[in-house]
Amino acid sequence: MSSSVRRLTMAAISNSLSLKQGLFLGCPRTTSLTLTLTRARPSSTSLQFRRCYAAFANENREYVIVGGGNAAGYAARTFVEHGMANGRLCIVTKEAYAPYERPALTKAYLFPPDKKPARLPGFHTCVGSGGERQTPEWYKENGIEMLYEDPVKNIDIESQTLTTISGKLLKYGSLIIATGCTASRFPEKIGGNLPGVHYIRDVADADALILSLEKAKKVVVVGGGYIGMEVAAAAVGWKLDTTIIFPEDHLLQRLFTPSLARRYEELYQNTGVKILKGASIKNLEAGSNGQVAAVKLGDGSIVEADTVIIGIGAKPAVSPFEGVGLNTDVGGIQVDGQFRTSIPGIFAVGDAAAFPLKIYNRIARVEHVDHARRSAQHCVKALLSAQTHTYDYLPYFYSRIFEYEGSPRKVWWQFFGDNVGETIEVGNFDPKIATFWIESGKLKGVLLESGSPEEFQLLPKLARSQPLIDKAKLQNATSVEEALDMARGSLQVEAAV
């Protein structure tokens, strides 16, 4: 049996299973050809699409990925691994660059010039997971068409056609939406677009910020989440007067406990960063030169600033796909465990997708590079092969701060699981600290800072197994190592039962 026939056979097997869920992929329903092929409906659509090819020779693309971020890069790699990229795959992106590891933008990319900052092509996808660096040449060598700086303007689902900003028409067989998120912005009427005000989502944003940091004296970071913490740490490396302002009670409120946040706040303050928590912002004020000059708080006080970075969250970048019947009630494009949307032939992955979080039995949208990678790979494998198992993701978050040369204390923490239930904190933060979340006697989540590689490898095992654990004994642990040994012992007990 030839490899191409084998692929179609496997796809047909996969599709026979997916039909039970009422989903299929195919050419437009309006074509007579579709009626003759509905019995097979291979999930890769390769057979149907080749037969549709003659009518759309100038517009046809068998597979189209919309978006140029991490998810797109990892999806492309998976297409290549299955031998289905060359001459069949097109990536449409608003960016001028091939997909890259976006977390670098708020970490090593912002290091000052004397601290060995990251630069492209050094962090193109997929080096973040130890894979081959996918430079623009890699896409050419693998026959992948890249449409740079030409985002999608609209979509016609009946004719399965995309229109880009430049007016280019693309006929697709299977469409993967991997558009990620856009940064939440301050309204223009309160100074959100003033020169010197920055948001970070792509390389162009980070480049603009670096130009500001090179001449800045007073920096204000708005937001106490990931972006705020990482950018403020980078600003310390530039030796700038830095202030973090946020409305919550403590840093990274969606994950850190008040006790853990206090440790980090003290770390930042010891590096000279000023922290204004529980503060609201009325507006950003311009100076005589039209540049941002100050942040006016809700209580009327003023914080001087010549550079302001706003990190107040993000929202899914799905505007071209609104109004075509995709379910976005849950905040992203809702998909099933194979990343199929409710519209045949359309998939969504990464930040833009709201998917079934199997381990906790709820619908979730996860803004994280690990999910972007894994969801893209799972989606493409399901599309091209007989893979039918549901995506089973374990939530994972991490951050690295103060890791540039000359930093007095480099920090790296990881979290796995669900931050629900009671918390137990073990350790003195220097050199390490751990927080455990326990609900109904089960270990639901764990955060570790400054652990060893072996200790970090234990975390996902604990979070996925959710072993029963003696809370009193854990509270009495005298070190992080002792606490992790207890948790490891609970795993072994579970395995023996």
Side-chain angles (χ1 to χ4, degrees), residues 396 398-399 412-416 433 446-461 484 488:
Y396 161 55
Y398 76 93
S399 186
W412 183 20
W413 60 261
Q414 294 185 26
F415 168 84
F416 285 89
I433 195 168
V446 57
L447 181 146
L448 175 63
E449 198 260 295
S450 299
S452 67
E454 294 75 20
E455 288 169 340
F456 280 132
Q457 289 168 13
L458 175 63
L459 304 189
K461 298 175 184 176
L484 290 174
R488 187 182 291 107

Side-chain angles (χ1 to χ4, degrees), residues 137-440:
E137 290 71 30
W138 181 91
Y139 291 89
K140 290 178 183 177
E141 290 168 1
N142 284 284
I144 299 172
E145 181 182 17
M146 296 292 296
L147 299 184
Y148 295 107
E149 298 182 283
D150 197 12
V152 168
K153 182 179 180 181
N154 56 50
I155 175 175
D156 185 329
I157 61 171
E158 289 300 320
S159 64
Q160 292 183 226
T161 304
L162 299 171
T163 306
T164 68
I165 291 293
S166 70
K168 190 175 185 67
L169 294 176
L170 294 175
K171 171 77 179 170
Y172 65 85
S174 296
L175 173 67
I176 299 176
I177 301 171
T179 45
C181 286
T182 58
S184 297
R185 303 176 68 92
F186 271 13
E188 183 175 4
K189 65 182 180 182
I190 67 168
N193 294 339
L194 286 174
V197 176
H198 298 271
Y199 307 84
I200 303 183
R201 289 303 299 183
D202 55 35
V203 165
D205 294 336
D207 284 341
L209 175 56
I210 289 168
L211 290 175
S212 282
L213 293 175
E214 287 174 347
K215 54 190 176 183
K217 291 190 172 92
K218 294 186 176 182
V219 173
V220 166
V221 180
V222 179
Y226 287 97
I227 300 294
M229 291 182 67
E230 292 175 358
V231 170
V236 171
W238 290 78
K239 297 181 172 59
L240 300 175
D241 181 323
T242 304
T243 303
I244 305 178
I245 302 173
F246 52 91
E248 296 85 11
D249 296 331
H250 59 75
L251 284 174
L252 200 56
Q253 191 163 40
R254 66 172 172 164
L255 180 60
F256 286 175
T257 64
S259 175
L260 182 63
R262 185 175 66 252
R263 308 270 195 160
Y264 279 98
E265 289 166 10
E266 290 171 355
L267 173 66
Y268 277 83
Q269 289 165 337
N270 289 338
T271 64
V273 175
K274 294 179 282 294
I275 296 178
L276 298 178
K277 50 189 175 181
S280 62
I281 293 176
K282 184 175 182 180
N283 63 278
L284 308 179
E285 298 186 343
S288 57
N289 60 357
Q291 299 267 334
V292 68
V295 178
K296 187 173 184 179
L297 303 183
D299 62 7
S301 60
I302 297 290
V303 181
E304 293 183 353
D306 49 42
T307 298
V308 175
I309 304 98
I310 297 176
I312 55 172
K315 55 187 177 180
V318 296
S319 57
F321 307 100
E322 292 175 347
V324 297
L326 294 173
N327 185 351
T328 59
D329 294 342
V330 288
I333 297 173
Q334 189 161 349
V335 296
D336 66 6
Q338 304 284 353
F339 294 97
R340 299 172 294 196
T341 71
S342 57
I343 297 178
I346 301 181
F347 302 76
V349 297
D351 292 4
F355 64 97
L357 190 56
K358 182 178 178 181
I359 189 171
Y360 303 127
N361 192 31
R362 64 174 184 255
I363 300 297
R365 193 177 64 80
V366 176
E367 296 174 13
H368 194 266
V369 63
D370 181 62
H371 165 61
R373 295 166 180 161
R374 293 175 185 272
S375 62
Q377 292 168 325
H378 189 98
C379 173
V380 176
K381 286 177 182 177
L383 177 61
L384 299 180
S385 73
Q387 173 180 285
T388 58
H389 65 270
T390 296
Y391 184 61
D392 189 7
Y393 185 68
L394 176 67
Y396 161 55
F397 301 99
Y398 76 93
S399 186
R400 299 193 302 269
I401 51 177
F402 299 112
E403 59 175 349
Y404 41 78
E405 278 188 11
S407 170
R409 174 152 153 55
K410 298 178 182 180
V411 173
W412 183 20
W413 60 261
Q414 294 185 26
F415 168 84
F416 285 89
D418 205 9
N419 57 329
V420 295
E422 299 178 71
T423 57
I424 295 175
E425 187 177 291
V426 182
N428 59 7
F429 191 66
D430 192 358
K432 63 177 64 174
I433 195 168
T435 300
F436 301 84
W437 281 262
I438 299 173
E439 184 180 58
S440 301

Side-chain angles (χ1 to χ4, degrees), residues 86-100:
N86 196 348
R88 303 180 179 197
L89 175 62
C90 175
I91 297 178
V92 184
T93 173
K94 69 177 181 179
E95 292 209 50
Y97 304 95
Y100 52 85

Side-chain angles (χ1 to χ4, degrees), residues 33-165:
L33 180 59
T34 304
L35 298 177
T36 67
L37 294 171
T38 51
R39 292 178 184 175
R41 293 174 181 162
S43 62
S44 69
T45 71
S46 54
L47 176 61
Q48 291 172 301
F49 202 85
R50 279 198 288 274
R51 295 193 182 185
C52 293
Y53 184 83
F56 300 93
N58 296 322
E59 303 167 7
N60 170 67
R61 305 296 185 278
E62 191 165 349
Y63 306 108
V64 174
I65 300 171
V66 178
N70 250 305
Y74 280 79
R77 182 174 75 172
T78 311
F79 274 108
V80 170
E81 290 170 348
H82 283 74
M84 297 293 281
N86 196 348
R88 303 180 179 197
L89 175 62
C90 175
I91 297 178
V92 184
T93 173
K94 69 177 181 179
E95 292 209 50
Y97 304 95
Y100 52 85
E101 303 286 348
R102 206 166 294 266
L105 297 179
T106 54
K107 297 179 177 69
Y109 202 86
L110 296 184
F111 291 177
D114 63 336
K115 301 288 196 298
K116 298 181 180 179
R119 290 291 180 268
L120 289 172
F123 59 96
H124 276 298
T125 303
C126 298
V127 295
S129 62
E132 180 183 2
R133 183 180 291 112
Q134 297 171 197
T135 62
E137 290 71 30
W138 181 91
Y139 291 89
K140 290 178 183 177
E141 290 168 1
N142 284 284
I144 299 172
E145 181 182 17
M146 296 292 296
L147 299 184
Y148 295 107
E149 298 182 283
D150 197 12
V152 168
K153 182 179 180 181
N154 56 50
I155 175 175
D156 185 329
I157 61 171
E158 289 300 320
S159 64
Q160 292 183 226
T161 304
L162 299 171
T163 306
T164 68
I165 291 293

Side-chain angles (χ1 to χ4, degrees), residues 21-40:
Q21 300 178 34
L23 293 169
F24 69 95
L25 307 177
C27 294
R29 291 183 294 274
T30 54
T31 64
S32 58
L33 180 59
T34 304
L35 298 177
T36 67
L37 294 171
T38 51
R39 292 178 184 175

